[in-house]
């Protein structure tokens, strides 16, 4: 089961601060969406609206065709996974998993135990005694095992070490293949997670500045690698996003899709043309000069 999401001309104000400004987009079911934005861009504000933690100041939100706010039928199919304060939570991990199972209709207990084993979560330990990384793994376990038709992860990896994050990414992709749902992932780890995403949304200063398929977005640029002099000559006049040099070898990332003629010219000059990274595009598109 998957849910479609429609956000229409949504704005959100906190007193005099406008956190979101006329945001509109539609999400199809069964895809993983990457939500990118700098600190304070409005990512968490947007996700809190989708999770019905608050209502928009203006505009409308529809999940499965209905207004989700205080809508039990819709919200039982939505999971919002974020960093929580567990300092007063003395229940053990196993008890908390049973609690989640009671209130989430799609929860898979066996899969939750599988995840706990992969994350090395101690089932008989109080949640407030877990490290920050283990608490994040506990949150991820709840989010994945709930198998909610709309699952939202707001930087759910915080505190995890690299091997644990890798387990999270593997399980997300594998379980999405088995049980497709609509997944939104907010992240700062762009270069580490880009391969997870079917589509990308970029929010900047409260406005949605881009919503595109991942493959379409990364085709907007290219990396040019080869002898430094040849590379410099080839990229002259092109918009440069990033450049690196090792000895006489140079790699320059450019913004703008190369024509077939340009690609052929690069090949004749012994230059390697590769894809542009999502991180370089993200940095460029959210730069203050843009």
């Amino acid at each position: 089961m998957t849910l479609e999401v429609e956000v229409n001309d949504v704005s959100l104000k906190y007193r005099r601060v406008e956190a979101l400004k006329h945001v509109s987009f539609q999400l199809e079911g069964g895809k993983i969406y990457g939500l990118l934005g700098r600190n304070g861009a409005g990512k968490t504000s947007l996700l809190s609206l989708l999770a019905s933690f608050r209502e928009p100041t203006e505009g409308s939100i529809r999940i499965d065709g209905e207004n989700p706010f205080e809508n039990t039928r819709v919200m039982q199919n939505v999971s919002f996974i974020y960093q929580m304060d567990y300092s007063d939570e003395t229940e053990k991990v196993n008890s908390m998993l049973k609690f989640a199972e009671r209130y989430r209709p799609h929860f898979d207990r066996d899969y939750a135990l599988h995840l706990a084993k992969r994350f090395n979560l101690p089932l008989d330990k109080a949640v407030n005694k877990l490290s920050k990384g283990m608490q994040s793994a506990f949150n991820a376990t709840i989010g994945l095992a709930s198998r909610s038709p709309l699952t939202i992860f707001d930087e759910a990896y915080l505190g995890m070490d690299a091997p644990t994050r890798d387990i999270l990414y593997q399980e997300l992709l594998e379980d999405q293949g088995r049980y497709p749902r609509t997944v939104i992932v907010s992240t700062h780890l762009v270069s580490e997670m880009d391969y997870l995403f079917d589509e990308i949304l970029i929010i900047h200063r409260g406005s949605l500045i881009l919503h595109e398929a991942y493959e379409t977005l990364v085709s907007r640029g290219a990396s040019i690698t080869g002898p430094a002099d040849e590379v410099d000559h080839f990229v002259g006049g092109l918009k440069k996003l990033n450049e690196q040099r090792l000895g006489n070898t140079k790699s320059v990332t450019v913004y703008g899709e190369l024509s077939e003629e340009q690609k052929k010219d690069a090949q004749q000059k012994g230059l390697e043309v590769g894809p542009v990274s999502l991180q370089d595009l993200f940095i460029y598109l959210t730069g203050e000069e843009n």
Side-chain angles (χ1 to χ4, degrees), residues 9-23 40-42 45 57-58 203-207:
D9 201 29
V10 162
S11 296
L12 178 65
K13 295 180 180 178
Y14 302 105
R15 296 182 181 177
R16 296 183 180 180
V17 178
E18 194 170 22
L20 296 172
K21 307 170 186 175
H22 305 290
V23 173
S45 293
T57 308
E58 298 176 13
I203 192 167
H204 186 54
R205 291 189 172 184
S207 298

Side-chain angles (χ1 to χ4, degrees), residues 129-149:
K129 299 300 182 182
L130 299 176
S131 68
K132 290 296 183 184
M134 283 291 99
Q135 288 182 0
S136 291
F138 170 72
N139 286 337
T141 297
I142 296 291
L144 289 169
S146 294
R147 290 193 174 133
S148 298

